[in-house]
Amino acid sequence: MKYLSEFRDPEAAKALHQQIKKAAAKLPGPVKIMEICGSHTVSIFRAGIKSLLPSNVTLVSGPGCPVCVTATEDMDRMIALSGMAVEKNITIATFGDMVRVPGSFTSLEKERAAGADVRITATPLDALRWAGENPDREVVFLGVGFETTSPTIAATVERAQRDNISNFTVYPAFKLLPPALAALLDSEDVALDAFICPGHVSVMLGADTYRPVAAKYGKPCVIAGFEPLDIMLGISVALGLLANKQHEVYNTYKRAVTDEGNRAAMDLLMKIFKPVDTPWRGLGYIPDSGLDFREEYSEFNAITRYGLTEVETGSDPPGCACGEVLRGVIDPPQCHLFGNECSPQSPMGSCMVSSEGSCAAWYRYSE
Amino acid sequence: MTDERILISHGSGGKKSQELTERTFLKYFTDPALLLMNDQAVINIDTKKIAISTDTYTIDPIFFPGGNIGSLSVHGTVNDISMSGATPIAMSAGFILEEGLMLSELERIAESMAVAAAEASVRIVTADTKVVARGSADRIFINTTGIGILSEKTNICGQGAKVGDRIILSGTIGDHGIAIASSREGIEFSTPVISDSASLNYLVQTLLEAVPEGVHVMRDPTRGGLATVLNEIASQSSVGILIREAKIPLKKAVIGACELFGYDPLYLANEGKMVALVREPDAEKALEAIKSHPLGRDAMIIGEVVDDHPSKVVLRTLMGGRRLVDRLTGDMLPRIC
């Protein structure tokens, strides 16, 4: 419980606010810092941190919300699967936010209202349990997420094989963070000065992951926790590094993140899956940024079991600027659809659906 | 349009519910009392001012820490009537029972309704029962209608907020939402969270006796939580509302559970709390009156009505920043009331 009071202490916040203002005053010009992770985005908005920043410091949200970066073609295939659900006795198990993401034609939420068995769960182990309890049904888990969530899903697949549960499969739409970060920095229209690196993903990957990025691109990378004070500290450190022209990795979340990360989890992940080129919403294909089943586990691949590569897929809704938003090129209100055609109650783009999406956060929390 | 269906999020009490109401029901139901969109309607019968409300209870699980669907249906009905400043007099109860419901469970529910009604001095004067085939309902749904009487002068409604009004919250928020979520998920906390389900009519009476003319709006933050009712009031009265995070009472266990489940307590349901908007000169006296009642002892003044940002609710955060408090969109929790 101490985390919940000490890391939200108003007095400490005042001190950090002063530090941020002091560090910002030393900067030669305006800076843009990207918080990569969707949970950071939400925390920043909920704590009103943007309203505390000096005018020369801008925070932009990055591609770190797993729902937001799921490509429309993957969404379309998942939804097509739900369309087969009744006929083929399929139960679809998914993290909650996926249900409302629109595909090109419909959404899982609408398919559920039309009769598909779509169930929300917080853990893939629930899905495996349902499969074990209902041998006459096929349970498909929609596998989205970064290095934080994917090892749990890998562990579930391993258990399914061990327990011989053959009516359980996973739709692999996982994403790997480091290749995306590199792709982001390689793209011409992205101008970022520093990163607030995710807390949970870094627990898995380790702080060392960011060292090549910091060195190659000369951008400070500050790993931060999720409490409001963690984030303010992260911003303050990033501004300090920028003011001193230091381009290093700085770990302010040492209570959870080590240099080497969780090797056991990462090894398990790579035992079940292998890196593949994968499409990201709005970012296109990024080399080796996704995961596919290794040969020994391919029987658990929902895409091949249900022939989902044959499914007709559409494209992103016209005018949707999720891609630019995810790369931090524009702020959500600069998208023409924002607040008009696209809002959390009738979202067009995935960034408006997920509670961690930056469009939804802007819409919900921004005055 | 024609192939659209009802989605779970249409029942969240947030924007999607509002959209459904506006697009479908308000097209056909156009009575001026209904169009005020308060939790109850106030109508005149001869010389009497009557408050009338209806609500339907579909909560899952039907038994939860701190109550059950029966006691909840009485508390909810009493509170809807009380929020207009009326004295609740009588209520009806309609039961939709699913084939297979245990009779012993039904009896426990009926008994707790009788107890709750007696505690609130409200008569259950008429009832109805329907049984539907297994799968056509989830064990038991209860619909109620409540009626109450208002004094001639009382005019408390969502349209009444004035700039300068102080916003009093009668106690901690989120207890009911977390009690339900944790019992549904089978998660126990070291300090168990009990639903706050309770009848507020005597608390309201205490308040109105202390400041008979001072109360402009009362609302119970049930489904959709504090954020939703404040947004409703801001838009009904076309005023801005500013609240302070540091002043909002929260149990430690609720804060912890919100972290675990990923909920924002501002959107969690309450079944025994009220928000009162009181004119500034009466605010301290009103707060004292509320605090003098056992159901209001944790009450706080959490903010005020401002002439800035009309129809919007803004939160001054613990960190010293500001942010918008929007209505709930979509569905945060399964059925909670």
Side-chain angles (χ1 to χ4, degrees):
Chain A
M1 277 317 181
K2 257 168 65 189
Y3 283 125
L4 298 181
S5 48
E6 289 180 4
F7 283 84
R8 295 173 189 182
D9 175 35
E11 289 308 311
K14 268 185 207 158
L16 279 171
H17 190 199
Q18 289 310 319
Q19 274 186 35
I20 287 172
K21 284 199 271 193
K22 236 192 249 170
K26 289 188 195 150
L27 294 169
V31 295
K32 215 177 194 185
I33 302 175
M34 173 178 276
E35 88 276 0
I36 300 165
C37 169
S39 300
H40 274 153
T41 301
V42 171
S43 207
I44 287 164
F45 273 101
R46 272 182 65 175
I49 290 174
K50 272 187 198 256
S51 68
L52 297 172
L53 294 180
S55 58
N56 60 337
V57 178
T58 311
L59 279 180
V60 293
S61 312
C65 149
V67 171
C68 304
V69 297
T70 300
T72 301
E73 58 190 272
D74 280 321
M75 235 24 256
D76 281 338
R77 289 186 188 130
M78 293 173 188
I79 295 166
L81 185 65
S82 74
M84 305 173 192
V86 176
E87 192 192 332
K88 294 196 173 168
N89 250 347
I90 294 173
T91 294
I92 293 179
T94 175
F95 297 132
D97 276 349
M98 292 295 285
V99 169
R100 299 188 58 230
V101 181
S104 311
F105 316 107
T106 163
S107 70
L108 290 171
E109 185 183 38
K110 289 178 181 160
E111 291 299 312
R112 181 172 67 179
D117 187 11
V118 179
R119 297 190 204 176
I120 292 171
T121 173
T123 158
L125 290 169
D126 272 347
L128 184 64
R129 183 169 53 79
W130 294 335
E133 289 169 357
N134 301 285
D136 56 324
R137 295 193 69 81
E138 309 234 329
V139 178
V140 183
F141 187 79
L142 303 183
V144 298
F146 288 93
E147 289 88 342
T148 332
T149 33
S150 46
T152 327
I153 299 168
T156 309
V157 170
E158 194 185 43
R159 187 179 292 189
Q161 193 185 52
R162 186 197 70 191
D163 296 348
N164 231 342
I165 299 178
S166 58
N167 59 331
F168 173 79
T169 51
V170 172
Y171 185 110
F174 306 106
K175 301 285 183 280
L176 300 174
L177 185 72
L181 210 52
L184 200 63
L185 286 163
D186 282 333
S187 66
E188 284 171 4
D189 55 348
V190 178
L192 299 167
D193 299 291
F195 290 100
I196 300 292
C197 296
H200 294 149
V201 168
S202 303
V203 169
M204 294 294 176
L205 288 174
D208 287 343
T209 301
Y210 305 104
R211 298 198 199 282
V213 177
K216 180 175 173 194
Y217 298 95
K219 311 284 180 191
C221 292
V222 181
I223 300 165
F226 295 96
E227 291 302 321
L229 288 183
D230 279 323
I231 295 169
M232 289 178 75
L233 176 64
I235 294 168
S236 150
V237 170
L239 293 176
L241 292 172
L242 283 170
N244 294 325
K245 299 200 165 58
Q246 290 170 294
H247 313 308
E248 56 191 68
V249 176
Y250 198 99
N251 183 2
T252 67
Y253 196 34
K254 285 196 172 145
R255 64 181 191 275
V257 176
T258 60
D259 282 346
E260 65 278 7
N262 184 338
R263 291 323 313 165
M266 296 312 293
D267 290 347
L268 174 64
L269 183 65
M270 289 306 159
K271 179 183 160 192
I272 311 287
F273 301 107
K274 59 182 181 203
V276 287
D277 299 355
T278 206
W280 292 55
R281 176 141 195 167
L283 307 180
Y285 272 79
I286 300 178
D288 286 337
S289 69
L291 291 172
D292 196 5
F293 282 90
R294 291 192 187 273
E295 189 57 38
E296 308 88 282
Y297 296 92
S298 58
E299 61 181 304
F300 295 101
N301 189 342
I303 297 180
T304 46
R305 185 174 303 188
Y306 301 105
L308 295 174
T309 44
E310 304 303 312
V311 165
E312 185 197 348
T313 59
S315 47
D316 295 350
C320 172
C322 274
E324 283 84 348
V325 169
L326 288 167
R327 289 184 298 138
V329 176
I330 64 166
D331 280 336
Q334 291 171 267
C335 172
H336 295 303
L337 303 179
F338 182 88
N340 302 314
E341 290 95 328
C342 185
S343 64
Q345 58 273 25
S346 52
M348 293 184 73
S350 50
C351 301
M352 191 59 100
V353 175
S354 170
S355 53
E356 299 199 340
S358 59
C359 293
W362 272 87
Y363 189 95
R364 284 202 179 107
Y365 298 122
S366 191
E367 285 179 68
Chain B
M1 176 84 188
T2 46
D3 61 354
E4 277 185 67
R5 294 169 190 267
I6 289 292
L7 307 175
I8 280 289
S9 49
H10 281 124
S12 63
K15 281 190 178 174
K16 202 92 179 164
S17 306
Q18 189 191 3
E19 192 185 285
L20 175 74
T21 305
E22 283 170 3
R23 273 181 44 188
T24 311
F25 294 117
L26 296 189
K27 209 153 75 180
Y28 302 101
F29 301 167
T30 55
D31 190 279
L34 176 93
L35 293 181
L36 288 174
M37 301 286 279
N38 287 309
D39 286 347
Q40 70 300 111
V42 174
I43 55 173
N44 289 301
I45 301 180
D46 292 336
T47 55
K48 285 262 188 274
K49 252 171 112 173
I50 305 289
I52 179 163
S53 74
T54 187
D55 209 339
T56 304
Y57 299 84
T58 62
I59 190 166
D60 170 36
I62 56 179
F63 294 94
F64 51 85
N68 62 52
I69 190 169
S71 53
L72 178 71
S73 71
V74 175
H75 295 151
T77 307
V78 167
N79 295 345
D80 277 350
I81 292 294
S82 303
M83 292 304 123
S84 65
T87 304
I89 302 294
M91 60 177 285
S92 71
F95 298 88
I96 297 171
L97 308 177
E98 186 194 13
E99 176 186 23
L101 175 72
M102 298 293 292
L103 263 181
S104 57
E105 290 185 326
L106 181 60
E107 188 166 339
R108 272 173 71 195
I109 290 165
E111 187 193 2
S112 44
M113 288 178 80
V115 171
E119 281 169 359
S121 312
V122 169
R123 300 162 62 193
I124 299 176
V125 290
T126 180
D128 177 57
T129 306
K130 296 282 185 292
V131 177
V132 296
R134 193 183 289 275
S136 299
D138 187 5
R139 300 212 279 170
I140 176 170
F141 296 156
I142 302 176
N143 172 267
T144 63
T145 293
I147 57 170
I149 295 184
L150 286 99
S151 79
E152 193 60 39
K153 295 179 300 191
T154 309
N155 185 19
I156 296 171
C157 63
Q159 287 73 15
K162 302 273 184 304
V163 173
D165 284 355
R166 295 299 188 259
I167 299 163
I168 304 175
L169 174 62
S170 68
T172 56
I173 55 167
D175 304 8
H176 179 71
I178 292 300
I180 298 306
S182 48
S183 88
R184 196 190 339 249
E185 300 296 328
I187 294 172
E188 285 178 21
F189 298 101
S190 51
T191 324
V193 181
I194 309 287
S195 167
D196 58 354
S197 183
S199 290
L200 296 169
N201 51 329
Y202 291 118
L203 176 64
V204 168
Q205 196 182 330
T206 308
L207 170 66
L208 295 181
E209 279 166 11
V211 289
E213 318 251 304
V215 181
H216 290 158
V217 186
M218 287 189 287
R219 198 53 75 77
D220 56 337
T222 55
R223 184 184 57 174
L226 181 66
T228 302
V229 296
L230 292 178
N231 269 288
E232 284 169 2
I233 295 167
S235 77
Q236 282 178 301
S237 297
S238 304
V239 293
I241 286 180
L242 178 67
I243 53 172
R244 288 175 185 76
E245 191 174 14
K247 298 287 181 193
I248 298 171
L250 279 167
K251 290 201 170 84
K252 272 189 177 168
V254 170
I255 300 176
C258 281
E259 291 299 311
L260 186 67
F261 291 122
Y263 296 149
D264 183 340
L266 292 176
Y267 296 92
L268 287 177
N270 312 276
E271 294 291 348
K273 294 295 163 6
M274 73 167 178
V275 173
L277 275 64
V278 179
R279 65 184 183 193
E280 194 272 330
D282 287 327
E284 284 303 325
K285 203 173 168 193
L287 179 66
E288 285 318 306
I290 291 174
K291 284 170 87 91
S292 75
H293 191 279
L295 291 176
R297 59 169 187 267
D298 299 326
M300 291 285 272
I301 294 177
I302 60 164
E304 64 257 354
V305 177
V306 295
D307 57 4
D308 216 5
H309 53 82
S311 302
K312 285 185 178 168
V313 180
V314 170
L315 177 79
R316 170 74 62 188
T317 68
L318 274 179
M319 298 296 102
R322 282 166 63 103
R323 67 149 163 110
L324 183 74
V325 178
D326 197 21
R327 283 168 191 251
L328 183 67
T329 46
D331 188 38
M332 187 160 73
L333 278 170
R335 301 195 313 263
I336 48 169
C337 62

